[in-house]
mmCIF file of all heavy atoms in Angstrom:
data_model
loop_
_atom_site.group_PDB
_atom_site.id
_atom_site.type_symbol
_atom_site.label_atom_id
_atom_site.label_comp_id
_atom_site.label_asym_id
_atom_site.label_seq_id
_atom_site.Cartn_x
_atom_site.Cartn_y
_atom_site.Cartn_z
ATOM 1 N N GLU A 198 410.186 87.576 272.773
ATOM 2 C CA GLU A 198 410.193 88.575 271.704
ATOM 3 C C GLU A 198 409.032 89.522 271.923
ATOM 4 O O GLU A 198 407.903 89.074 272.150
ATOM 5 C CB GLU A 198 409.881 87.873 270.384
ATOM 6 C CG GLU A 198 410.993 87.605 269.462
ATOM 7 C CD GLU A 198 410.424 86.822 268.265
ATOM 8 O OE1 GLU A 198 410.251 85.593 268.408
ATOM 9 O OE2 GLU A 198 410.104 87.454 267.253
ATOM 10 N N LYS A 199 409.281 90.825 271.818
ATOM 11 C CA LYS A 199 408.210 91.808 271.958
ATOM 12 C C LYS A 199 407.621 92.043 270.579
ATOM 13 O O LYS A 199 408.369 92.353 269.648
ATOM 14 C CB LYS A 199 408.856 93.088 272.478
ATOM 15 C CG LYS A 199 407.925 93.995 273.228
ATOM 16 C CD LYS A 199 408.592 95.347 273.400
ATOM 17 C CE LYS A 199 408.884 95.632 274.850
ATOM 18 N NZ LYS A 199 409.242 97.063 275.053
ATOM 19 N N LEU A 200 406.309 91.890 270.413
ATOM 20 C CA LEU A 200 405.731 92.030 269.082
ATOM 21 C C LEU A 200 404.958 93.341 268.924
ATOM 22 O O LEU A 200 405.519 94.331 268.533
ATOM 23 C CB LEU A 200 404.865 90.814 268.735
ATOM 24 C CG LEU A 200 405.592 89.458 268.760
ATOM 25 C CD1 LEU A 200 404.635 88.327 268.446
ATOM 26 C CD2 LEU A 200 406.777 89.418 267.815
ATOM 27 N N LEU A 201 403.695 93.348 269.324
ATOM 28 C CA LEU A 201 402.817 94.465 268.944
ATOM 29 C C LEU A 201 402.323 95.213 270.185
ATOM 30 O O LEU A 201 401.960 94.581 271.162
ATOM 31 C CB LEU A 201 401.618 93.823 268.221
ATOM 32 C CG LEU A 201 400.566 94.679 267.586
ATOM 33 C CD1 LEU A 201 401.085 95.254 266.278
ATOM 34 C CD2 LEU A 201 399.301 93.838 267.307
ATOM 35 N N PRO A 202 402.252 96.566 270.157
ATOM 36 C CA PRO A 202 401.604 97.277 271.273
ATOM 37 C C PRO A 202 400.104 97.005 271.243
ATOM 38 O O PRO A 202 399.496 97.024 270.168
ATOM 39 C CB PRO A 202 401.878 98.759 270.985
ATOM 40 C CG PRO A 202 402.713 98.809 269.765
ATOM 41 C CD PRO A 202 402.720 97.468 269.115
ATOM 42 N N VAL A 203 399.525 96.713 272.387
ATOM 43 C CA VAL A 203 398.109 96.333 272.445
ATOM 44 C C VAL A 203 397.475 96.911 273.704
ATOM 45 O O VAL A 203 398.167 97.446 274.569
ATOM 46 C CB VAL A 203 397.917 94.799 272.488
ATOM 47 C CG1 VAL A 203 398.135 94.169 271.136
ATOM 48 C CG2 VAL A 203 398.811 94.149 273.547
ATOM 49 N N ARG A 204 396.155 96.764 273.805
ATOM 50 C CA ARG A 204 395.453 97.151 275.021
ATOM 51 C C ARG A 204 394.422 96.082 275.368
ATOM 52 O O ARG A 204 393.437 95.925 274.657
ATOM 53 C CB ARG A 204 394.755 98.493 274.793
ATOM 54 C CG ARG A 204 394.164 99.031 276.057
ATOM 55 C CD ARG A 204 393.638 100.432 275.845
ATOM 56 N NE ARG A 204 393.491 101.069 277.133
ATOM 57 C CZ ARG A 204 393.070 102.300 277.300
ATOM 58 N NH1 ARG A 204 392.760 103.046 276.262
ATOM 59 N NH2 ARG A 204 392.949 102.803 278.502
ATOM 60 N N PHE A 205 394.691 95.344 276.442
ATOM 61 C CA PHE A 205 393.801 94.263 276.875
ATOM 62 C C PHE A 205 393.259 94.554 278.270
ATOM 63 O O PHE A 205 393.867 95.301 279.038
ATOM 64 C CB PHE A 205 394.577 92.937 276.932
ATOM 65 C CG PHE A 205 394.628 92.194 275.633
ATOM 66 C CD1 PHE A 205 395.561 92.517 274.664
ATOM 67 C CD2 PHE A 205 393.730 91.175 275.374
ATOM 68 C CE1 PHE A 205 395.603 91.835 273.451
ATOM 69 C CE2 PHE A 205 393.760 90.486 274.165
ATOM 70 C CZ PHE A 205 394.698 90.819 273.212
ATOM 71 N N VAL A 206 392.130 93.902 278.604
ATOM 72 C CA VAL A 206 391.618 93.958 279.976
ATOM 73 C C VAL A 206 392.597 93.186 280.873
ATOM 74 O O VAL A 206 393.349 92.339 280.390
ATOM 75 C CB VAL A 206 390.191 93.342 280.082
ATOM 76 C CG1 VAL A 206 389.195 94.140 279.254
ATOM 77 C CG2 VAL A 206 390.180 91.875 279.671
ATOM 78 N N PRO A 207 392.587 93.481 282.185
ATOM 79 C CA PRO A 207 393.568 92.832 283.069
ATOM 80 C C PRO A 207 393.284 91.352 283.360
ATOM 81 O O PRO A 207 392.128 90.936 283.423
ATOM 82 C CB PRO A 207 393.496 93.641 284.365
ATOM 83 C CG PRO A 207 392.195 94.346 284.325
ATOM 84 C CD PRO A 207 391.804 94.508 282.885
ATOM 85 N N LEU A 208 394.353 90.615 283.543
ATOM 86 C CA LEU A 208 394.290 89.245 284.041
ATOM 87 C C LEU A 208 394.120 89.388 285.557
ATOM 88 O O LEU A 208 395.000 89.924 286.221
ATOM 89 C CB LEU A 208 395.617 88.566 283.708
ATOM 90 C CG LEU A 208 395.768 87.073 283.932
ATOM 91 C CD1 LEU A 208 394.832 86.291 283.018
ATOM 92 C CD2 LEU A 208 397.209 86.639 283.667
ATOM 93 N N VAL A 209 392.978 88.934 286.067
ATOM 94 C CA VAL A 209 392.647 89.233 287.465
ATOM 95 C C VAL A 209 392.741 87.988 288.351
ATOM 96 O O VAL A 209 392.817 86.861 287.860
ATOM 97 C CB VAL A 209 391.231 89.851 287.573
ATOM 98 C CG1 VAL A 209 391.186 91.207 286.893
ATOM 99 C CG2 VAL A 209 390.196 88.903 286.969
ATOM 100 N N LYS A 210 392.675 88.268 289.670
ATOM 101 C CA LYS A 210 392.788 87.156 290.632
ATOM 102 C C LYS A 210 391.444 86.608 291.059
ATOM 103 O O LYS A 210 391.343 85.498 291.535
ATOM 104 C CB LYS A 210 393.579 87.626 291.857
ATOM 105 C CG LYS A 210 394.998 87.953 291.468
ATOM 106 C CD LYS A 210 395.856 88.387 292.619
ATOM 107 C CE LYS A 210 397.199 88.797 292.016
ATOM 108 N NZ LYS A 210 398.098 89.429 292.938
ATOM 109 N N THR A 211 390.382 87.425 290.942
ATOM 110 C CA THR A 211 389.034 86.901 291.214
ATOM 111 C C THR A 211 388.111 87.372 290.100
ATOM 112 O O THR A 211 388.356 88.404 289.480
ATOM 113 C CB THR A 211 388.424 87.408 292.547
ATOM 114 O OG1 THR A 211 388.174 88.796 292.405
ATOM 115 C CG2 THR A 211 389.315 87.117 293.730
ATOM 116 N N GLY A 212 387.052 86.613 289.888
ATOM 117 C CA GLY A 212 386.152 86.925 288.769
ATOM 118 C C GLY A 212 384.932 87.715 289.167
ATOM 119 O O GLY A 212 383.863 87.543 288.580
#
Side-chain angles (χ1 to χ4, degrees):
E198 257 177 279
K199 205 193 246 193
L200 301 178
L201 185 76
V203 284
R204 187 173 199 179
F205 273 83
V206 297
L208 189 65
V209 294
K210 295 182 185 171
T211 68

